[in-house]
Amino acid sequence: MIAKIMSIGLKGVEGYRVQVEVQTLDGMDAFLIVGLPDASVKESKERVSTALHSYGHQLVDQKTVVNLSPSEQKKNGPIFDLPIAIGILKSTGVIRVNIQATTCFIGALSLDGSILPFEGLLAAALAAKKLGFTIVYMPFDPNLPDIKMEGLDIVFVSSLHEVIQHLSGQMLLPFHSPQLIQDDSIEYEKDFQDIIGHEFAKRALEIAAAGEHHVFMTGPPGCGKSLLAETFPSILPPLSNEAQLEKVSLHQLAGSEILQINQPSFRNPHHSASSVSIIGGGQNPKPGEISLAHRGVLFLDEMAEFSKKTLDMLRQPIETQKVTISRARSTVTYPAAFLLIGAMNPCPCGYLGSSSHYCTCTPKQIQSYQNRISGPIRDRFDITLSLQSISLDTKSNIQCETSEMIRKRVVKTRNRQYERYAKEICNGRVSYEVLIKTSNPSEKIKQLLQQMALKKKWSNRIQVKMMRLARTISDLREENQITEGAIWEAMTLCCSTDNNLIVGQRDRSRVPGSRSQ
């Protein structure tokens, strides 16, 4: 008798259906697994046979053939241990009940018949929902969050005996579908109210958080670039249920520790990190820092010290919000919708334009240092901030707002965007066609932007960035249309290559933290 059991194969975080076909024949003892299994799948025969022996079922004088279909897809991992064992028991008549094609089994087996979690367990559960399965048998992992997926019943099992008893109707196991806990009362180590000055930078970071815009900061050492970036997550809204599941599944695939499930990730790799660790890859491709920062923040401090090759590899993921890693053995795609914050000194000594130190660098050294970041990478930053050091004795007349106060405005602004676009996407990521269609800027706004673009010789990308920023600024002001004031504020934030505009920004801002002080 041929038994057919459904399971799931993984390619990164993407899953596909795998039909486990098992047939047992009388004859010489043999256990064959076909269907492009890798070493970890081939080892399943030892785990499965020993687990069945512990259960009291011995494969004596039998030839067992297991086919993992589709045969052209390479299979990896111990995920197929449980479906292979169930297929053998059904093929030999131990399990007589009919198992529906909408039921799948995933799990690794211990030698005593226990069912153990494996790398990518949550990603497999998410794939089961997308592939249309209604019931999934899987091990329980206490390190994972509670899962809720409408239309999918998850049966957590701890041993092969429990699965057999449940399938036979002799044991009732609860169908688990609890919710992730939403906790908005999050305590952060750093708060914006503790940052002295830099009011213009705080306003820019609020706009960046509200519309998911990339930020580039430059300034002398100790001016507060790293502090602002590390405090930035405190104004980001908590993750939704879907985003939490995506975050946990990526961290589990990478073997990375998860500290706060409902907070956006904040990744701060050292500038000596390799391109593989940043982008992802390896012999068996795993997520890199850009994927671990999915739905969160990737902070590149001392950005000019990263290799030029690594920085240029960020260009495509920033645009597509995903990264595809191709290897001879496999090709996997990981999500990479991150908010990029870059920081660097303006010159090798760090004091170009400083009001308190003299720059000792030659023009050639300055140009060579700044050229470490290519034009296309600079062009992908929506906001550019030029910071100066602030005295600790500085007393600002502006009342410092807490991160919680700013976060409430950010959440409200993002909800406006979600409602406008009918999905969870912000102005910084939505397509330009949808942005213009939903915003419908006036002819006066279009003419103003065109005139400035001709005068400053701005590229189309810079004009699009300004329109996105202006839309976010208008949303923060609760305005239905893009206003002229929003366009002018966007101009002070956007263009990093126009020195005249940066000078104009210094003249107009006149707030603590700007160059005018």
Side-chain angles (χ1 to χ4, degrees):
M1 174 183 176
I2 299 178
K4 297 181 180 180
I5 306 297
M6 298 305 300
S7 187
I8 296 170
L10 287 177
K11 294 178 63 177
V13 293
E14 298 178 352
Y16 58 93
R17 288 173 174 265
V18 173
Q19 182 173 261
V20 180
E21 300 176 327
V22 181
Q23 185 170 20
T24 55
L25 304 170
D26 295 333
M28 182 184 296
D29 292 350
F31 197 132
L32 302 176
I33 300 178
V34 297
L36 288 183
D38 70 354
S40 61
V41 179
K42 291 178 180 179
E43 291 173 353
S44 293
K45 61 184 180 182
E46 307 299 338
R47 293 190 295 268
V48 171
S49 59
T50 307
L52 291 176
H53 178 77
S54 300
Y55 171 69
H57 184 82
Q58 299 184 14
L59 301 178
V60 180
D61 297 331
Q62 288 182 340
K63 179 179 181 180
T64 303
V65 181
V66 178
N67 178 40
L68 304 178
S69 177
S71 300
E72 66 274 8
Q73 291 276 12
K74 190 171 184 62
K75 319 301 187 306
N76 56 76
I79 187 173
F80 305 110
D81 288 3
L82 179 58
I84 290 175
I86 297 300
I88 292 174
L89 293 174
K90 186 169 176 57
S91 177
T92 55
V94 177
I95 297 177
R96 299 182 180 274
V97 297
N98 184 33
I99 300 177
Q100 299 294 328
T102 55
T103 301
C104 74
F105 299 81
I106 54 176
L109 283 178
S110 178
L111 298 184
D112 62 355
S114 300
I115 302 175
L116 305 176
F118 56 90
E119 187 180 88
L121 177 62
L122 185 54
L126 293 172
K129 174 66 172 63
K130 295 178 181 178
L131 294 172
F133 290 106
T134 57
I135 301 176
V136 57
Y137 287 81
M138 59 184 284
F140 177 75
D141 188 348
N143 297 321
L144 294 181
D146 294 333
I147 305 169
K148 180 185 179 182
M149 284 178 277
E150 295 182 4
L152 179 66
D153 291 322
I154 300 175
V155 184
F156 289 112
V157 288
S158 60
S159 67
L160 191 58
H161 176 71
E162 282 188 4
V163 180
I164 298 171
Q165 293 294 313
H166 187 267
L167 289 173
S168 303
Q170 300 178 20
M171 180 182 293
L172 293 179
L173 295 175
F175 290 99
H176 294 262
S177 56
Q179 291 187 358
L180 291 172
I181 299 175
Q182 288 281 9
D183 183 13
D184 295 336
S185 58
I186 305 173
E187 293 186 2
Y188 294 91
E189 295 182 359
K190 299 179 181 179
D191 196 286
F192 268 137
Q193 69 175 347
D194 300 325
I195 299 179
I196 300 174
H198 291 307
E199 302 303 331
F200 181 77
K202 292 178 185 178
R203 166 67 176 173
L205 291 178
E206 179 182 347
I207 295 171
E212 291 189 319
H213 302 286
H214 305 299
V215 182
F216 180 77
M217 296 184 290
T218 181
C223 68
K225 302 185 296 295
S226 299
L227 178 61
L228 286 166
E230 292 167 359
T231 312
F232 180 72
S234 65
I235 64 174
L236 295 176
L239 296 177
S240 63
N241 286 0
E242 179 184 355
Q244 290 181 48
L245 293 175
E246 290 179 358
K247 172 184 175 179
V248 174
S249 63
L250 286 166
H251 278 73
Q252 189 191 33
L253 284 170
S256 176
E257 183 182 2
I258 308 171
L259 299 178
Q260 295 291 339
I261 294 175
N262 59 343
Q263 294 183 24
S265 298
F266 180 80
R267 307 296 298 186
N268 183 12
H270 192 262
H271 56 75
S272 63
S274 66
S275 57
V276 172
S277 66
I278 300 291
I279 306 300
Q283 186 175 4
N284 296 315
K286 289 192 174 184
E289 291 291 337
I290 64 174
S291 295
L292 296 179
H294 180 61
R295 302 292 190 111
V297 180
L298 177 66
F299 175 44
L300 301 183
D301 199 6
E302 303 296 343
M303 195 171 178
E305 302 300 329
F306 284 83
S307 70
K308 193 173 185 298
K309 173 186 174 182
T310 300
L311 293 179
D312 286 339
M313 290 174 71
L314 293 173
R315 288 155 57 177
Q316 187 176 0
I318 290 175
E319 295 291 334
T320 62
Q321 300 169 32
K322 61 183 179 181
V323 57
T324 300
I325 304 168
S326 298
R327 296 291 182 267
R329 294 185 176 182
S330 62
T331 299
V332 298
T333 299
Y334 292 113
F338 58 91
L339 196 159
L340 178 61
I341 298 181
M344 66 173 286
N345 298 327
C347 65
C349 77
Y351 295 106
L352 177 65
S354 173
S355 57
S356 58
H357 291 75
Y358 180 75
C359 176
T360 60
C361 304
T362 65
K364 184 177 181 180
Q365 288 176 324
I366 296 173
Q367 187 66 40
S368 176
Y369 184 79
Q370 294 185 352
N371 284 344
R372 293 183 184 180
I373 302 180
S374 64
I377 285 293
R378 284 180 178 269
D379 207 28
R380 281 166 170 79
F381 287 101
D382 301 331
I383 297 174
T384 298
L385 298 176
S386 182
L387 306 180
Q388 280 290 311
S389 299
I390 298 295
S391 173
L392 295 179
D393 297 330
T394 300
K395 294 184 179 179
S396 174
N397 295 325
I398 303 176
Q399 182 67 31
C400 292
E401 293 184 303
T402 64
S403 292
E404 183 179 0
M405 297 167 62
I406 301 174
R407 185 167 64 248
K408 288 180 179 179
R409 291 200 298 268
V410 170
V411 171
K412 189 174 181 180
T413 303
R414 285 203 179 187
N415 289 334
R416 284 174 62 92
Q417 297 168 67
Y418 298 161
E419 183 179 353
R420 181 191 305 127
Y421 303 127
K423 60 181 178 179
E424 195 172 320
I425 191 171
C426 295
N427 296 323
R429 305 192 191 279
V430 73
S431 67
Y432 183 67
E433 293 76 15
V434 175
L435 179 73
I436 295 299
K437 182 178 179 181
T438 55
S439 301
N440 192 22
S442 64
E443 290 299 324
K444 183 179 180 182
I445 295 297
K446 293 179 181 178
Q447 290 177 2
L448 172 62
L449 191 57
Q450 290 175 358
Q451 291 173 0
M452 292 299 297
L454 289 173
K455 182 178 179 181
K456 303 293 183 180
K457 295 181 174 58
W458 290 336
S459 67
N460 291 338
R461 175 173 284 164
I462 293 178
Q463 297 177 58
V464 171
K465 288 192 297 185
M466 290 186 179
M467 193 65 74
R468 294 182 188 277
L469 282 170
R471 177 69 270 183
T472 301
I473 294 168
S474 297
D475 286 335
L476 276 168
R477 297 174 179 174
E478 299 185 8
E479 297 168 340
N480 294 326
Q481 299 293 328
I482 297 176
T483 62
E484 185 175 349
I487 285 288
W488 282 111
E489 186 174 359
M491 291 180 185
T492 66
L493 295 170
C494 183
C495 189
S496 62
T497 57
D498 193 323
N499 294 327
N500 294 329
L501 182 61
I502 295 175
V503 172
Q505 169 188 325
R506 298 201 302 265
D507 294 339
R508 287 192 296 270
S509 59
R510 299 191 181 278
V511 295
S514 68
R515 282 181 176 268
S516 60
Q517 303 225 333

